[in-house]
């Protein structure tokens, strides 16, 4: 069964458009959702939850149409958005008392376990929490009602490397039994290299690709060579940059033919994002 299926999602604003967004996520997997600021990640996540009203498109969660079964299905969704503002002068235990009433499967024991795991003091006011601790509190709420689908917007933002690593291990544990899935957006692409099964890359409101992480990275080569080789590859590369020592560029593997003096290797997710962002520039090139 698919945890999430999005087909033909469209949403228009004055200066931005989501265009025919398609995403499929099976139960038991982690999908990383990447793209530059303003690419459409948060708008897509909010559209899935009907927090943004779309012009067209179908959204199914756990095999059911989300709009037709919204109240019922939200019992099975955990979500946490970066930058969420709680009542800052309230103690988190008092906020939790309100939130838990909305979920039939709320489990106080699970919630207490996450408070301990995240080292959250229930008597602290929200204003006394660091940004990282606010993220952890959002996650504690999202994880405490046996959600089958977790939609998380920048969940590792504000966390130190040790805390981030622990959270990524938790994500892997959560999907291990095949009963739940996680879709999370992030700018920290190294996190996805550690834990994601699938990558969905959105750029300027369009999905560039939504495939397994290995297949996504495997579509590209990062090239490096002397400047005099640029002309031979310029029309084939997605984007490139030059410096005093030569050039580096991104190319789809099926468009690359080996050239003497040009080295090639698998790129990182971050490098793929950087060069696609450069493609948006008029000349797709800059010089250092």
């Amino acid at each position: 069964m698919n945890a999430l299926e999005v087909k033909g999602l469209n949403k228009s604003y004055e200066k931005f458009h989501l265009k025919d967004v398609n995403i499929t996520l099976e139960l038991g997997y982690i999908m990383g959702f990447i793209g530059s600021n303003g690419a459409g990640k948060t708008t897509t996540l909010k559209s899935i939850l009907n927090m943004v009203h779309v012009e067209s498109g179908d959204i199914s969660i756990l095999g059911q149409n989300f709009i037709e079964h919204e109240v019922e299905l939200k019992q099975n969704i955990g979500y946490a958005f970066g930058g969420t503002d709680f009542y800052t002068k309230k103690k988190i235990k008092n906020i939790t008392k309100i939130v838990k009433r909305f979920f039939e499967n709320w489990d106080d024991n699970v919630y207490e376990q996450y408070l301990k795991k995240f080292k959250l003091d229930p008597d602290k006011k929200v204003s006394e929490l660091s940004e990282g601790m606010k993220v952890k509190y959002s996650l504690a709420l999202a994880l405490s009602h046996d959600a089958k689908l977790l939609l998380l917007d920048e969940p590792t933002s504000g966390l130190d490397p040790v805390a981030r690593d622990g959270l990524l291990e938790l994500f892997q544990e959560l999907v291990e039994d095949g009963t739940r899935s996680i879709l999370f957006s992030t700018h920290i692409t190294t996190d996805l290299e550690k834990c994601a099964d699938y990558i969905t890359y959105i750029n300027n409101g369009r999905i560039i690709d939504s495939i397994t992480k290995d297949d996504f990275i495997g579509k590209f080569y990062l090239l490096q060579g002397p400047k005099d080789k640029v002309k031979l590859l310029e029309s084939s590369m997605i984007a490139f940059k030059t410096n005093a020592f030569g050039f580096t560029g991104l190319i789809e593997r099926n468009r690359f033919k080996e050239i003497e003096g040009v080295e090639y290797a698998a790129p990182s997710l971050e490098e793929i994002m950087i060069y696609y962002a450069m493609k948006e520039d008029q000349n797709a090139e800059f010089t250092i």
Side-chain angles (χ1 to χ4, degrees):
M1 180 188 291
N2 290 329
L4 172 68
E5 192 168 355
V6 178
K7 292 182 179 179
L9 193 67
N10 288 276
K11 172 65 180 176
S12 297
Y13 294 100
E14 184 178 351
K15 296 183 179 180
F16 176 78
H17 307 282
L18 281 183
K19 309 176 190 78
D20 294 320
V21 170
N22 296 288
I23 299 171
T24 299
L25 176 59
E26 296 178 54
L27 277 171
Y29 294 96
I30 298 172
M31 178 178 282
F33 194 24
I34 62 173
S36 58
N37 282 333
K41 300 187 300 299
T42 299
T43 301
T44 300
L45 291 175
K46 288 185 175 181
S47 296
I48 290 170
L49 290 168
N50 201 27
M51 297 168 69
V52 169
H53 298 296
V54 299
E55 279 100 44
S56 61
D58 295 310
I59 300 163
S60 295
I61 292 176
L62 301 173
Q64 294 184 292
N65 182 283
F66 182 70
I67 300 302
E68 294 176 4
H69 303 275
E70 181 173 358
V71 175
E72 173 189 347
L73 288 171
K74 280 187 173 177
Q75 294 291 325
N76 290 305
I77 301 172
Y79 50 92
F81 291 154
T84 300
D85 293 321
F86 297 105
Y87 293 98
T88 57
K89 299 304 179 184
K90 296 287 186 181
K91 292 181 179 180
I92 63 176
K93 67 180 182 182
N94 293 328
I95 296 174
T96 302
K97 286 179 182 177
I98 297 170
V99 171
K100 63 188 282 187
R101 297 176 186 173
F102 292 96
F103 297 103
E104 296 171 1
N105 294 325
W106 181 272
D107 190 320
D108 281 322
N109 290 328
V110 171
Y111 174 70
E112 292 297 330
Q113 288 172 17
Y114 281 118
L115 286 188
K116 291 178 182 177
K117 188 179 187 72
F118 295 152
K119 299 179 181 178
L120 286 164
D121 181 353
D123 287 311
K124 277 199 171 184
K125 296 177 181 178
V126 172
S127 60
E128 298 173 323
L129 301 179
S130 67
E131 290 304 310
M133 296 305 280
K134 288 179 184 177
V135 170
K136 289 181 178 181
Y137 178 54
S138 292
L139 286 168
L141 294 175
L143 293 167
S144 296
H145 55 91
D146 194 31
K148 302 304 181 187
L149 173 64
L150 296 175
L151 300 176
L152 310 173
D153 193 12
E154 302 287 349
T156 57
S157 177
L159 300 180
D160 62 68
V162 174
R164 283 196 355 251
D165 190 65
L167 193 60
L168 298 177
E169 287 185 7
L170 172 62
F171 288 170
Q172 290 174 307
E173 291 171 9
L174 288 169
V175 302
E176 194 170 5
D177 65 0
T179 64
R180 59 173 60 86
S181 298
I182 299 172
L183 170 63
F184 77 97
S185 71
T186 184
H187 288 101
I188 308 173
T189 52
T190 52
D191 287 352
L192 302 181
E193 288 166 352
K194 291 180 181 178
C195 76
D197 301 298
Y198 291 87
I199 296 294
T200 294
Y201 178 39
I202 189 169
N203 188 51
N204 195 28
R206 291 183 182 272
I207 299 294
I208 301 298
D209 225 331
S210 185
I211 54 177
T212 69
K213 177 182 64 183
D214 291 341
D215 286 346
F216 182 72
I217 294 173
K219 289 180 65 174
F220 305 97
Y221 279 135
L222 186 69
L223 307 181
Q224 184 174 355
K227 284 183 181 180
D228 61 6
K229 304 294 185 181
V230 168
K231 291 295 182 183
L232 300 175
L233 291 159
E234 185 173 358
S235 62
S236 299
M237 287 188 288
I238 291 166
F240 66 93
K241 55 184 176 180
T242 62
N243 56 35
F245 304 100
F247 82 95
T248 57
L250 187 73
I251 193 170
E252 292 184 6
R253 289 195 183 197
N254 59 12
R255 301 195 68 187
F256 177 62
K257 295 180 180 179
E258 291 191 41
I259 296 174
E260 185 177 356
V262 177
E263 298 179 359
Y264 57 96
S268 65
L269 288 172
E270 183 174 333
E271 287 166 334
I272 294 170
M273 284 181 60
I274 287 171
Y275 284 96
Y276 259 100
M278 287 174 59
K279 186 181 179 182
E280 294 299 304
D281 294 341
Q282 186 175 5
N283 297 321
E285 177 186 7
F286 62 88
T287 301
I288 299 174

